[in-house]
C-alpha cells in the first residue's frame, strides 16, 4: 500500500499529460476507501500542478454512464400475482416471447420461477419502449415498472401470471444474442421435442433453460432433500463423505485411473462404489451410514449404464435383510406417491415367470415352460432344442388371435421383434372359437389331443387367444419372450403409465456363465 502510493508522485513528475492525475484519482476512488483517496489526492494534485505549466487547469472527471454496476431485482417473474397490482417492481431475466401489436410492444420475461408479460407505453415512456422494441428472443434484460391487471379479454388462463402484466418504465439491455439460436428455448407445452440430443448437449446452457430440463433438475433436488431429511431426522443416519481418489479394488467394471504427479508411474482409481469405505465405517462403530455418492465405471454405454452416475449408498450394522427392505420401502413412499407393498421375488422365479432380471410387473402376462408337453414331439425345432439341453416356453396373449394376422406373425412387426432378440423364427398357435388350433402346420401335426389339452390348461388359454413359442437355451428363450412380452403389452395398451410397481429381487446370483468367453463373470 505504502509502496504503491509512494510510486504515484514519481509517475506524475515524469509526465506532463493532463489525464494522468485523473486516472490516479479514479484508481484511488474505486480501489481504496474514501478516507484514503481524500488523504492522498490533495498532495498529489498540488505536486502535479507545480510541475506542470501554469495554463494547466485540473477539472474533475465525469464517471462514464456505462460503468459496470451490480444488477439487483425486487421480485421474481413467476411469483407476481393479483395482490401485487400497483406495486413497483424491478425484474431480471430472459426474453421468452416478443411481439408488436397495435403500436404497442409486448414480451414475456422469464426467470427461474416462471414467466410474466411486460408491456410498453410509447407516449409516456419512449426510452423504455425504444429499448424493448429492439429486443429479441433470449436477450437478457432488466425491467422496472408497475404491476397492473390485464384487460379481461387479454387474461391468459394458461399462465400462472396470466391475469397481470408489468408496464415498463425503464429497461436495460444486459446481454444480446449475436448469432442465430440453434433451437428454441421456449415452446408450447404440447410441442414435440425434435431437437437432436447432440445439438442440445453442444449448447447445454440453452438446453437447461428449457422448462422440462429445469423441472427435472429441481425435481432431483427435492428428492435428494427429502432423502436426507428422512434418513437423518427420522432414521438417525449419519452422512459421511468417502474418498474419491483411492486404490483400485475389484469391482464389476474397469476403473477410471488418475495419474499421480507426486509419485510418477502410480495412479489413483475413481470409486465404482464406496463399498470398502462403508464396511470400514461399520467396523469403526458407525451404526447407520449413508451418502449421495458419485460413482465412476469405465464400461460400454447402454441405456441404463453411464460412466458417471449418482447413487444413494447406505449401510446398517446388525440389521437383517427384512428390516433393510422395509426401510427402503418406507423411503420410497416418502419421496413418491407409491403406497403399495413391494413384492419380493426370488431370482430364479423371476426369470422363469418374466424372462428378465428387471421385469415390468404392471401387467400380468407370464411365461410358462412347456418342455414336458413337447418331450416326445416330432416338431424338429423343439426336438433339437430339448436334445441339446434347451427348454421350450410360451407366452399367451389374450385375444391375440383376433389382433395379429398370420402375415404379421410370419413377417410383420411382432416377427421382427423376435428376430431382433436373436431368435431364428417365431412359432405360434391360435386358439379358434371351436377350441381347435391354427398356426404353423408342422407344429400342429405334432400335437395329439392330449398335448392340446395340456397346452391349453398350462397357458390358461381360451378361444381367440394367441400362443407364442420360443425354444433353445434358457437365456435366449427368456430374452426373446421378454422382448415379445413388452412389445405386445405396449401395442395392446396393457401398461398403465401412472401406476408404479416395485419389485425386490432376492438371492441374486454372484456369478453368471458367459457363453462367449466360456467363463464365470460377476
Amino acid at each position: 500500500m505504502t509502496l504503491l502510493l509512494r510510486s504515484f508522485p514519481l509517475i506524475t513528475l515524469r509526465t506532463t499529460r493532463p489525464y494522468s492525475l485523473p486516472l490516479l484519482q479514479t484508481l484511488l476512488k474505486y480501489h481504496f476507501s474514501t478516507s484514503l483517496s481524500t488523504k492522498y489526492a490533495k498532495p498529489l494534485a498540488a505536486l502535479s500542478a507545480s510541475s506542470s505549466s501554469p495554463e494547466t487547469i485540473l477539472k474533475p472527471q465525469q464517471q462514464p454512464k456505462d460503468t459496470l454496476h451490480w444488477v439487483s431485482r425486487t421480485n421474481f417473474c413467476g411469483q407476481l400475482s393479483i395482490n401485487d397490482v400497483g406495486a413497483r417492481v424491478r425484474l431480471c431475466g430472459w426474453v421468452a416471447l416478443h411481439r408488436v401489436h397495435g403500436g404497442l410492444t409486448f414480451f414475456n420475461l422469464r426467470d427461474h420461477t416462471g414467466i410474466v408479460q411486460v408491456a410498453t407505453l410509447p407516449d409516456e415512456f419512449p426510452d423504455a419502449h425504444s429499448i424493448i422494441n429492439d429486443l429479441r428472443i433470449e436477450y437478457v434484460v432488466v425491467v422496472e415498472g408497475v404491476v397492473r391487471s390485464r384487460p379481461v379479454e387479454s387474461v391468459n388462463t394458461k399462465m400462472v401470471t396470466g391475469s397481470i402484466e408489468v408496464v415498463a418504465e425503464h429497461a436495460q439491455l444486459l446481454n444480446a444474442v449475436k448469432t442465430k439460436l440453434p433451437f428454441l428455448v421456449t415452446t408450447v407445452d404440447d410441442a414435440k421435442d425434435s431437437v437432436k440430443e447432440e445439438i442440445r448437449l453442444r449448447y447445454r446452457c440453452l438446453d437447461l433453460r428449457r422448462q422440462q430440463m429445469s423441472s427435472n433438475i429441481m425435481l432431483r433436488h427435492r428428492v435428494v432433500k427429502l432423502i436426507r431429511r428422512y434418513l437423518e431426522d427420522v432414521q438417525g443416519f449419519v452422512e459421511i463423505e468417502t474418498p474419491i481418489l483411492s486404490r483400485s479394488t475389484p469391482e464389476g467394471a474397469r476403473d477410471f485411473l488418475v495419474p499421480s504427479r507426486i509419485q510418477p508411474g502410480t495412479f489413483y482409481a475413481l470409486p465404482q462404489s464406496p463399498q470398502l469405505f462403508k464396511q470400514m465405517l461399520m467396523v469403526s462403530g458407525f451404526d447407520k451410514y449413508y451418502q449421495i455418492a458419485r460413482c465412476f465405471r469405465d464400461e460400454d454405454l447402454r441405456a441404463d449404464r453411464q460412466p458417471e452416475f449418482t447413487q444413494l449408498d447406505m449401510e446398517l450394522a446388525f440389521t437383517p435383510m427384512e428390516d433393510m427392505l422395509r426401510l427402503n420401502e418406507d423411503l420410497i413412499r416418502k419421496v413418491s406417491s407409491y403406497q403399495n407393498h413391494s413384492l419380493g421375488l426370488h431370482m430364479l422365479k423371476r426369470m422363469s415367470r418374466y424372462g428378465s432380471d428387471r421385469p415390468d410387473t404392471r401387467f400380468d402376462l407370464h411365461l410358462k415352460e412347456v418342455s414336458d408337453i413337447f418331450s416326445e414331439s416330432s416338431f424338429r425345432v423343439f426336438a433339437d432344442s430339448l436334445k441339446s439341453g434347451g427348454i421350450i416356453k410360451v407366452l399367451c396373449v389374450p385375444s391375440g388371435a383376433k389382433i395379429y394376422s398370420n402375415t404379421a406373425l410370419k413377417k410383420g412387426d411382432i416377427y421382427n421383434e423376435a428376430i431382433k432378440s436373436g431368435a431364428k423364427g417365431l412359432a405360434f398357435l391360435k386358439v379358434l372359437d371351436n377350441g381347435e388350433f391354427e398356426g404353423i402346420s408342422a407344429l400342429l401335426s405334432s400335437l395329439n389331443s392330449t398335448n392340446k389339452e395340456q397346452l391349453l390348461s398350462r397357458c390358461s388359454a381360451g378361444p381367440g387367444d394367441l400362443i407364442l413359442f420360443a425354444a433353445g437355451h434358457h437365456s435366449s428363450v427368456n430374452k426373446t419372450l421378454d422382448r415379445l412380452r413388452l412389445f405386445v403389452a405396449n401395442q395392446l395398451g396393457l401398461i398403465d403409465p401412472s401406476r408404479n410397481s416395485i419389485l425386490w429381487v432376492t438371492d441374486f446370483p454372484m456369478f453368471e456363465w458367459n457363453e462367449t468367453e466360456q467363463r464365470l463373470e460377476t
Side-chain angles (χ1 to χ4, degrees):
M1 173 66 184
T2 305
L3 179 61
L4 177 62
L5 291 174
R6 286 177 178 174
S7 65
F8 281 139
L10 298 179
I11 298 173
T12 309
L13 286 171
R14 292 173 184 173
T15 179
T16 59
R17 296 180 181 179
Y19 56 79
S20 60
L21 186 58
L23 175 62
L24 173 58
Q25 290 175 330
T26 303
L27 289 172
L28 289 171
K29 178 178 180 180
Y30 287 99
H31 292 276
F32 302 100
S33 65
T34 304
S35 60
L36 282 175
S37 61
T38 303
K39 178 179 178 182
Y40 290 101
K42 292 181 179 179
L44 290 173
L47 183 59
S48 178
S50 63
S51 61
S52 60
S53 61
E55 293 81 6
T56 303
I57 300 176
L58 297 178
K59 297 181 180 180
Q61 179 136 1
Q62 295 289 335
Q63 183 178 347
K65 293 182 179 181
D66 295 333
T67 301
L68 184 64
H69 62 278
W70 294 107
V71 177
S72 62
R73 57 190 171 188
T74 61
N75 300 80
F76 295 110
C77 297
Q79 294 180 355
L80 294 177
S81 67
I82 198 70
N83 297 326
D84 297 304
V85 171
R88 178 173 296 278
V89 298
R90 186 188 299 113
L91 306 173
C92 302
W94 291 262
V95 177
L97 181 65
H98 187 273
R99 62 193 184 278
V100 178
H101 180 70
L104 301 179
T105 301
F106 301 87
F107 77 94
N108 288 351
L109 186 64
R110 183 191 70 241
D111 64 10
H112 71 285
T113 63
I115 292 177
V116 68
Q117 177 173 282
V118 179
T120 64
L121 297 178
D123 297 333
E124 299 182 30
F125 306 102
D127 293 341
H129 173 76
S130 176
I131 294 174
I132 292 175
N133 201 49
D134 294 334
L135 295 179
R136 295 296 178 264
I137 300 297
E138 295 307 309
Y139 276 26
V140 187
V141 296
V142 179
V143 174
E144 184 175 348
V146 177
V147 181
R148 73 176 183 184
S149 298
R150 288 199 200 185
V152 177
E153 63 275 9
S154 300
V155 172
N156 188 346
T157 56
K158 296 182 179 181
M159 289 177 58
V160 177
T161 60
S163 60
I164 61 169
E165 62 184 7
V166 177
V167 178
E169 298 180 0
H170 303 282
Q172 180 183 0
L173 174 62
L174 298 181
N175 204 353
V177 177
K178 303 294 181 64
T179 59
K180 182 180 178 181
L181 293 174
F183 53 85
L184 292 178
V185 174
T186 303
T187 58
V188 293
D189 296 336
D190 57 351
K192 293 184 179 180
D193 190 0
S194 58
V195 183
K196 293 183 179 180
E197 186 177 30
E198 179 183 355
I199 302 298
R200 290 172 49 201
L201 293 176
R202 184 181 302 172
Y203 301 96
R204 192 60 166 168
C205 60
L206 287 179
D207 186 39
L208 293 179
R209 292 183 192 176
R210 299 192 305 138
Q211 179 63 36
Q212 179 183 356
M213 297 304 299
S214 61
S215 297
N216 290 343
I217 291 180
M218 293 307 298
L219 174 62
R220 183 186 187 277
H221 160 71
R222 291 193 295 270
V223 169
V224 171
K225 183 178 179 180
L226 282 173
I227 289 174
R228 282 196 166 99
R229 295 287 68 78
Y230 178 75
L231 292 180
E232 294 177 12
D233 300 342
V234 179
Q235 297 295 337
F237 277 75
V238 177
E239 182 178 12
I240 303 175
E241 294 184 354
T242 55
I244 293 294
L245 298 177
S246 62
R247 295 187 62 180
S248 177
T249 58
E251 293 277 358
R254 293 180 294 272
D255 292 318
F256 280 108
L257 301 179
V258 180
S260 172
R261 178 184 60 83
I262 299 176
Q263 298 177 335
T266 61
F267 298 84
Y268 296 104
L270 301 182
Q272 297 187 36
S273 73
Q275 182 67 34
L276 293 182
F277 295 115
K278 67 181 180 182
Q279 291 175 347
M280 291 170 60
L281 290 172
M282 294 300 103
V283 175
S284 302
F286 290 91
D287 192 65
K288 295 180 179 180
Y289 141 89
Y290 89 96
Q291 180 184 185
I292 310 296
R294 203 70 172 167
C295 302
F296 308 87
R297 298 192 174 192
D298 185 8
E299 56 186 354
D300 297 335
L301 291 175
R302 282 184 277 175
D304 58 347
R305 296 290 177 89
Q306 293 183 358
E308 180 182 1
F309 59 93
T310 304
Q311 69 181 29
L312 171 61
D313 194 74
M314 63 173 70
E315 191 71 58
L316 293 83
F318 309 110
T319 303
M321 182 183 72
E322 291 76 14
D323 292 347
M324 174 66 81
L325 298 184
R326 189 179 303 110
L327 169 67
N328 280 272
E329 285 189 26
D330 292 341
L331 175 61
I332 292 171
R333 293 189 184 97
K334 185 70 176 179
V335 301
S336 70
S337 60
Y338 183 78
Q339 297 298 327
N340 298 330
H341 179 70
S342 299
L343 300 174
L345 190 61
H346 190 279
M347 169 66 179
L348 296 179
K349 292 181 179 179
R350 176 190 54 175
M351 293 298 295
S352 175
R353 187 179 302 174
Y354 298 102
S356 171
D357 60 355
R358 52 184 184 280
D360 190 337
T361 58
R362 293 175 295 175
F363 59 99
D364 296 327
L365 295 182
H366 295 167
L367 312 185
K368 304 287 185 179
E369 184 173 351
V370 293
S371 300
D372 57 319
I373 298 177
F374 293 91
S375 59
E376 298 179 359
S377 175
S378 59
F379 186 46
R380 184 173 179 178
V381 175
F382 287 0
D384 291 346
S385 297
L386 294 176
K387 186 177 181 180
S388 60
I391 60 171
I392 304 170
K393 297 178 76 172
V394 297
L395 173 66
C396 182
V397 182
S399 303
K402 302 177 181 179
I403 299 173
Y404 295 101
S405 64
N406 290 349
T407 303
L409 293 167
K410 291 180 179 179
K411 56 181 180 181
D413 291 341
I414 191 169
Y415 172 82
N416 292 331
E417 286 296 316
I419 299 301
K420 290 177 183 178
S421 69
K424 297 180 180 179
L426 178 61
F428 67 91
L429 291 175
K430 291 183 176 181
V431 184
L432 304 178
D433 293 337
N434 59 4
E436 294 296 324
F437 286 111
E438 176 187 88
I440 305 298
S441 56
L443 176 57
L444 279 172
S445 62
S446 68
L447 289 172
N448 54 42
S449 58
T450 303
N451 297 146
K452 292 179 180 179
E453 292 179 2
Q454 291 176 336
L455 182 61
L456 289 173
S457 176
R458 184 75 55 85
C459 299
S460 300
D465 291 348
L466 171 67
I467 302 175
L468 303 176
F469 291 83
H473 190 269
H474 293 72
S475 59
S476 62
V477 168
N478 287 330
K479 183 179 179 181
T480 298
L481 292 183
D482 170 50
R483 187 177 186 118
L484 292 177
R485 178 176 179 268
L486 293 175
F487 176 79
V488 168
N490 282 291
Q491 275 207 330
L492 302 184
L494 302 179
I495 303 177
D496 181 3
S498 63
R499 180 189 172 195
N500 294 316
S501 181
I502 298 176
L503 179 70
W504 289 112
V505 180
T506 61
D507 302 306
F508 202 92
M510 295 182 64
F511 301 97
E512 188 178 32
W513 181 255
N514 188 322
E515 282 288 342
T516 305
E517 301 181 7
Q518 291 293 302
R519 67 180 181 89
L520 291 171
E521 63 181 8
T522 57

